[in-house]
């Protein structure tokens, strides 16, 4: 599913796997969890993450919390985009990744139109590939948002995505390669709002390239994420989405059933229950300021938020 400037830096040279198919109902490959029952005890688990700082942080929090229960934790951070880390969890290269409800639902069910957070979560539970499960969703959420600078908003009188249709032919959009093709991006803007841009520049997923291009007016619109402090710091305008192309994105652990013991599930559900959107925003900001690692920030959060 795709954050003082928050940076979602793609780490080069870490792609571990080829792209996976996006259809729901696929059977797991590799060691094939299939529909095996959850084990009574798990002694080792591999935790992966996407290639942006918030995912790395969540993976560290999950991994450190599990390790505190005496379970061996192996780490595979910075795997890549959703298609790549989904391939990893399907073939057993990783056993657990942090996910986002609406974005994951769109991956497993391309036809889903759920915009209610609870309904999207229920739909995700039903849509995941056999052999995978999602655990409790967190109240913490990181929503996709489509932003312009205040200068652009004032110039074109932009408050809503609806307002783009009359002016989009004069605007350049930019962002990740995924934003160009996904329903929560240019595909949805065209289908639901009738919006087509003069040009699209492929940059990064809410990272420094997109932010600099936006603030330098090289592009006039991009996709950021609501936990990114740069939105407030730069006075960016988040355009309203009356047609609901942007899904709800509560944080949720995605885990292989063959690694979901009762102990691991309890730990992960306890973590997600304590996370809040405000706290997550502050934690990611600390990492992206460049002075603290995801490992250190996760350790600090867990020390201040005991799980039992």
């Amino acid at each position: 599913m795709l954050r003082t400037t928050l940076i979602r830096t793609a780490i080069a040279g870490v792609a571990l796997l080829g792209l996976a198919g996006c259809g729901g109902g696929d059977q797991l490959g590799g060691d094939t969890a299939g529909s095996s029952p959850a084990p009574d005890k798990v002694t080792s688990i591999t935790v992966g993450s996407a290639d942006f700082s918030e995912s790395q942080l969540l993976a560290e929090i999950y991994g450190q919390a599990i390790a505190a229960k005496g379970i061996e934790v192996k780490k595979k951070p910075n795997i890549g985009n959703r298609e790549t880390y989904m391939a990893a969890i399907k073939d057993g290269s990783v056993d657990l990744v942090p996910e986002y409800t609406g974005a994951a639902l769109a991956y497993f069910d391309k036809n889903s139109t759920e915009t209610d957070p609870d309904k999207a979560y229920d739909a995700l539970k039903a849509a995941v590939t056999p052999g995978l499960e999602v655990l409790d969703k967190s109240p913490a959420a990181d929503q996709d948002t489509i932003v312009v600078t205040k200068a652009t908003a004032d110039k074109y009188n932009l408050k809503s995505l609806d307002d783009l249709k009359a002016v989009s032919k004069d605007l350049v959009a930019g962002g990740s390669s995924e934003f160009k093709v996904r329903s929560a991006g240019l595909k949805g803007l065209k289908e639901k709002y009738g919006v087509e841009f003069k040009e699209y520049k492929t940059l990064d997923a809410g990272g420094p390239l997109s932010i600099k291009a936006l603030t330098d007016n090289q592009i006039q619109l991009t996709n950021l994420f609501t936990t990114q402090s740069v939105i407030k710091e730069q006075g960016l305008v988040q355009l309203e989405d009356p047609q609901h192309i942007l899904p709800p994105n509560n944080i949720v652990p995605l885990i292989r059933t063959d690694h979901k013991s009762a102990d691991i599930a309890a730990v992960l559900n306890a973590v997600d229950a304590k996370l809040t959107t405000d706290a997550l925003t502050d934690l990611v900001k600390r990492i992206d300021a460049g002075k603290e690692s995801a490992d250190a920030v996760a350790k600090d959060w867990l020390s201040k938020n005991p799980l039992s």
Side-chain angles (χ1 to χ4, degrees), residues 284-299:
V284 176
K285 182 177 179 179
R286 289 167 59 183
I287 296 169
D288 287 328
K291 296 181 180 179
E292 297 179 85
S293 66
D295 177 279
V297 173
K299 183 177 181 180

Side-chain angles (χ1 to χ4, degrees), residues 69 135 261-271 307:
K69 298 298 181 181
L135 303 181
S261 67
D263 285 347
I264 287 176
V267 168
L268 293 173
N269 287 338
V271 166
L307 303 179

Side-chain angles (χ1 to χ4, degrees), residues 63-136:
Q64 291 181 31
I66 292 169
K69 298 298 181 181
I71 298 166
E72 180 187 13
V73 173
K74 301 174 184 178
K75 301 177 185 178
K76 287 192 176 181
N78 308 319
I79 293 173
N81 64 11
R82 178 164 286 103
E83 287 75 13
T84 308
Y85 66 72
M86 283 294 190
I89 197 168
K90 285 181 179 181
D91 74 8
S93 299
V94 299
D95 308 306
L96 168 68
V97 292
E99 253 298 1
Y100 300 88
T101 51
L105 176 59
Y107 173 88
F108 288 111
D109 180 2
K110 291 181 180 179
N111 297 316
S112 174
T113 57
E114 294 292 354
T115 59
D116 176 81
D118 291 334
K119 290 180 180 178
Y121 172 61
D122 290 341
L124 175 59
K125 288 192 290 185
V128 292
T129 298
L132 299 179
E133 296 183 40
V134 291
L135 303 181
D136 291 356

Side-chain angles (χ1 to χ4, degrees), residues 55 68 73 155 160 165 189 224 226 243 245 259 270 292 307:
S55 182
V73 173
K155 180 178 179 179
S160 162
K165 185 176 181 179
L189 284 168
L224 296 181
T226 53
Q243 298 299 322
I245 66 169
H259 280 73
E292 297 179 85
L307 303 179

Side-chain angles (χ1 to χ4, degrees), residues 121-268:
Y121 172 61
D122 290 341
L124 175 59
K125 288 192 290 185
V128 292
T129 298
L132 299 179
E133 296 183 40
V134 291
L135 303 181
D136 291 356
K137 73 176 173 70
S138 174
D142 188 359
Q143 311 292 112
D144 284 271
T145 186
I146 295 175
V147 302
V148 296
T149 63
K150 186 176 185 304
T152 296
D154 290 345
K155 180 178 179 179
Y156 296 103
N157 195 27
L158 301 178
K159 296 179 181 178
S160 162
L161 296 176
D162 269 330
D163 300 327
L164 288 169
K165 185 176 181 179
V167 300
S168 59
K169 295 288 188 182
D170 297 324
L171 305 179
V172 177
S176 68
S177 57
E178 293 85 4
F179 182 61
K180 185 177 181 180
V181 299
R182 289 179 176 169
S183 294
L186 266 63
K187 182 174 183 286
L189 284 168
K190 182 177 180 180
E191 292 176 352
K192 297 289 188 179
Y193 293 100
V195 169
E196 293 186 77
F197 294 98
K198 178 171 66 176
E199 183 185 349
Y200 186 84
K201 293 186 177 182
T202 301
L203 300 166
D204 54 15
L209 297 179
S210 295
I211 292 166
K212 186 175 190 306
L214 183 71
T215 55
D216 288 352
N217 201 37
Q218 296 172 2
I219 62 174
Q220 287 76 53
L221 177 145
T222 194
N223 168 220
L224 296 181
F225 308 91
T226 53
T227 59
Q228 289 188 256
S229 60
V230 68
I231 295 172
K232 182 176 180 180
E233 292 165 356
Q234 295 288 338
L236 302 179
V237 176
Q238 301 179 70
L239 299 179
E240 297 173 6
D241 176 29
Q243 298 299 322
H244 304 292
I245 66 169
L246 303 175
N249 270 326
N250 294 81
I251 291 157
V252 64
L254 177 67
I255 191 169
R256 288 177 64 96
T257 300
D258 57 4
H259 280 73
K260 192 206 78 173
S261 67
D263 285 347
I264 287 176
V267 168
L268 293 173

